[in-house]
Amino acid sequence: MTFLQFIFYLLAAIAVIAGLKMISVKNPVQAALWLVLAFISTAGIWLIAEAEFLGLALILVYVGAVMVLFLFVVMMLDINVAEFKEGFTRYLPLGVLTALAIFALMYLVLGPERFGLEQVASPAETASAQSNTLALAVPLYTEHVYAFILAAVLLLVGIVAAITLTLRRRPNTEVLYQDIDKQIKTRAQDRFEMVKMPAHVEKPLPEKEKEE
């Protein structure tokens, strides 16, 4: 076994262990940190596969931006972990069936009959001066442009759905909403009122009260 293969298996083992810990720990902050470790190990595997752009994008975008924002939101929210455990036993059979279905689909795609060096030829070695970003961008925006647009539309639908769920009206909860149109039309006379009060002059105390 070469040193490169040893690094690959080491990073792959770290990614698998981090993924299992991420879905098994009870604290959401710890789960996010385990996911960060899985991202870093996966980025190392992409660097070994000469996909430097994907590896750096995974670290800069997901680890450096998305996960930091996710950790900030999780730490700011008061999450009751006990509520998440209430329906665990009830939905456990459905979760097991879903996991088995996902593993079955992954085996059909990545199984030894369809995936491996015997069925797929090794990629041709590229020159050191060739841009990795250019090699990724050309087929993405030409051959797979429709799939790229479909993924963008799905992400847009997800963003709209998240905003809709966040801004839903809660009838039994007192929530303060921001009225932009009312704020723009606000005048200074509606916010401030000048009140003129007469000056108050304190009367001197009598001599008898001063002696006491």
Side-chain angles (χ1 to χ4, degrees), residues 26 81 86 193:
K26 300 178 181 179
V81 184
E86 294 179 354
E193 181 179 358

Side-chain angles (χ1 to χ4, degrees), residues 181-208:
D181 184 65
K182 185 178 179 180
Q183 291 179 350
I184 294 176
K185 294 179 180 179
T186 301
R187 300 176 303 171
Q189 295 81 359
D190 301 331
R191 297 284 180 148
F192 300 98
E193 181 179 358
M194 302 298 295
V195 179
K196 186 177 181 180
M197 299 180 62
H200 177 70
V201 180
E202 186 177 357
K203 296 181 180 180
L205 295 175
E207 297 293 335
K208 186 176 181 181

Side-chain angles (χ1 to χ4, degrees), residues 101-193:
I102 292 174
F103 279 113
L105 293 175
M106 292 177 62
Y107 180 79
L108 291 177
V109 176
L110 304 176
E113 295 82 6
R114 297 179 178 272
F115 190 78
L117 295 178
E118 293 78 9
Q119 287 75 20
V120 181
S122 300
E125 295 184 0
T126 57
S128 58
Q130 185 175 356
S131 174
N132 185 260
T133 307
L134 180 62
L136 180 66
V138 170
L140 182 63
Y141 292 105
T142 55
E143 183 180 356
H144 306 287
V145 62
Y146 294 110
F148 181 78
I149 295 175
L150 179 61
V153 172
L154 291 177
L155 289 175
L156 178 61
V157 172
I159 294 173
V160 173
I163 296 174
T164 304
L165 293 175
T166 305
L167 297 179
R168 65 182 185 274
R169 299 290 177 176
R170 302 176 178 88
N172 299 327
T173 306
E174 185 180 355
V175 181
L176 299 178
Y177 294 98
Q178 187 177 9
D179 191 353
I180 305 298
D181 184 65
K182 185 178 179 180
Q183 291 179 350
I184 294 176
K185 294 179 180 179
T186 301
R187 300 176 303 171
Q189 295 81 359
D190 301 331
R191 297 284 180 148
F192 300 98
E193 181 179 358

Side-chain angles (χ1 to χ4, degrees), residues 7-185:
I7 295 297
F8 169 78
Y9 286 116
L10 178 62
L11 293 175
I14 294 175
V16 172
I17 295 173
L20 293 176
K21 293 291 290 184
M22 188 266 298
I23 62 176
S24 60
V25 294
K26 300 178 181 179
N27 194 334
V29 178
Q30 295 179 1
L33 294 177
W34 281 111
L35 185 58
V36 169
L37 180 59
F39 282 157
I40 294 175
S41 56
T42 306
I45 295 176
W46 279 349
L47 291 176
I48 293 176
E50 297 183 0
E52 296 85 2
F53 176 77
L54 293 178
L56 295 176
L58 183 62
I59 293 178
L60 295 176
V61 177
Y62 284 91
V63 178
V66 176
M67 291 309 302
V68 172
L69 178 61
F70 183 78
L71 282 173
F72 177 76
V73 173
V74 169
M75 291 180 180
M76 291 294 293
L77 295 178
D78 187 12
I79 299 176
N80 189 4
V81 184
E83 295 181 358
F84 294 102
K85 303 178 184 177
E86 294 179 354
F88 179 78
T89 306
R90 182 174 57 181
Y91 295 107
L92 181 60
L94 179 61
V96 172
L97 291 177
T98 304
L100 292 177
I102 292 174
F103 279 113
L105 293 175
M106 292 177 62
Y107 180 79
L108 291 177
V109 176
L110 304 176
E113 295 82 6
R114 297 179 178 272
F115 190 78
L117 295 178
E118 293 78 9
Q119 287 75 20
V120 181
S122 300
E125 295 184 0
T126 57
S128 58
Q130 185 175 356
S131 174
N132 185 260
T133 307
L134 180 62
L136 180 66
V138 170
L140 182 63
Y141 292 105
T142 55
E143 183 180 356
H144 306 287
V145 62
Y146 294 110
F148 181 78
I149 295 175
L150 179 61
V153 172
L154 291 177
L155 289 175
L156 178 61
V157 172
I159 294 173
V160 173
I163 296 174
T164 304
L165 293 175
T166 305
L167 297 179
R168 65 182 185 274
R169 299 290 177 176
R170 302 176 178 88
N172 299 327
T173 306
E174 185 180 355
V175 181
L176 299 178
Y177 294 98
Q178 187 177 9
D179 191 353
I180 305 298
D181 184 65
K182 185 178 179 180
Q183 291 179 350
I184 294 176
K185 294 179 180 179

